[in-house]
Amino acid sequence: MDKLIIKGGKKLKGDVTVSGSKNASLPIFVATILAPGINQISNVPFLRDINTTIKVLESLGAHVEGNGNIVKIDTTGINSHEATYDLVKTMRASVLVLGPLLARFGKARVSLPGGCAIGARPINLHLKGLQALGAEITLEHGYVEARCRQLKGARINFDVSTVGGTEHLMMAAATAKGETLLENAAREPEIVDLALYLNRMGAKIEGAGTDTIRIQGVSELAAADYEVMPDRIEAGTFMIAAAMTGGEIRIHRMKLEHLDALSFKMQDAGVEITSRDGVVMVKGPRRVKSVNIKTRPYPGFPTDMQAQFMAMMCVADGASVISENIFENRFMHVSELQRFGADITVEGSTATVKGVKKLSGAPVMATDLRASASLILAGLTAEGTTEVTRIYHLDRGYESIEKKFAALGADIVRVKE
Ligand code: EPU
């Protein structure tokens, strides 16, 4: 197993380019199931979760070829309708194949994903929505079995804002008979990206990015080519790295408008953020100021940036209150950040972080994807050496992160344990 060794204290400087979005690529890959043909998806990041999605598609009978950041997916030969436990437990997003398989073949059998390190993460709203579209659903031996003659448009009102649920039903409804209305839909940019791809395939989807999405079912879709949006969480992680180290970096290929909630909070913390000709410049102050955050569905503060923001607050001037409102167990990085000397107390879904002047490097363990990023950020600012183990979590969602940080002047290397 690999680990990262970081010698902290370097101010980050220079240019970095953001990779394609993981959380947009995954549903787009899955949506290729909806029609037979060859899709060319570009700006795909090299990640473990992408490999897992490719394995899922191959296990269904698709033929997938990668060339750099371009992936060709031929879905003509899909002849299986089952996603097994082995694959779904490795990556929960695999469960999204249920709707597209059902829409194209009228049947699907997909393992239930089970719990997750950051929360229970049920898929009840996905299943309820598919039932509203006319699917017959049974749960047996840990698998969801779904059947239908033809999905039919329906009005679906989500109890809570769900990114995966909105994506799942948008895909399933694309070829349903009649109109589907998704109300209280999630508004994340990744949903807009999926809708753009589906429309490229011939779907008629309006309103993605708002809380009401109208889908006029079409009789069939066709394979299409698409370029995935940039990864807003990777971009946000670099913004925080620059701010925390008192550095100055230019970030290329990011969409600042996807990160308004984060940018406003960073500006409140004293960070300079400017955008010119599509390049975002981030300059950290000598010491950031403390700021409170509450995670919310988009356009609120993203839960996927909470751990990294907390790392920054660990060295801020003052105390900050951080509330996590999306997942019930997303504070696992706290006890690892405390190993750097951070002063954090947690009560329920709220963490109070009292900024300290200096963190000190320590051996720490990654527990989930974004928690891993927060440990790297702490290590980049800490005095002395930090060793981050279990970085396979990191490889799920950040493309060559240590190489990108090293190119910005950080002292960080990956070694085999
Ligand atoms: N929820 C339900 N029932 C459902 C679906 C969701 O109660 O049927 C609850 C969840 O338990 C959670 C909340 O609704 O409390 C929001 O979950 P959501 O469905 O929006 O999350 P997701 O689709 O499973 C995606 C991202 C996550 C990101 C969340 C929130 C992907 C592949 N994953 O998950 O990304 O944190 O949206 O923005 O898009 C990550 O990249 O590190 C990551 C965890």
Side-chain angles (χ1 to χ4, degrees), residues 22-23 26 93 118 121-126 160-164 188 303-304 326-327 330 369-370:
K22 164 180 89 83
N23 288 349
L26 301 180
I118 60 176
R121 303 182 76 181
I123 55 158
N124 57 318
L125 301 176
H126 301 224
V160 294
S161 170
T162 158
V163 176
E188 272 66 4
T303 173
D304 289 346
I326 308 295
F327 292 111
R330 212 173 195 181
L369 172 57
R370 308 304 171 187

Side-chain angles (χ1 to χ4, degrees), residues 196-207:
L196 288 171
Y197 169 65
L198 288 169
N199 284 346
R200 190 73 68 81
M201 293 179 90
K204 289 196 174 145
I205 302 175
E206 278 173 18

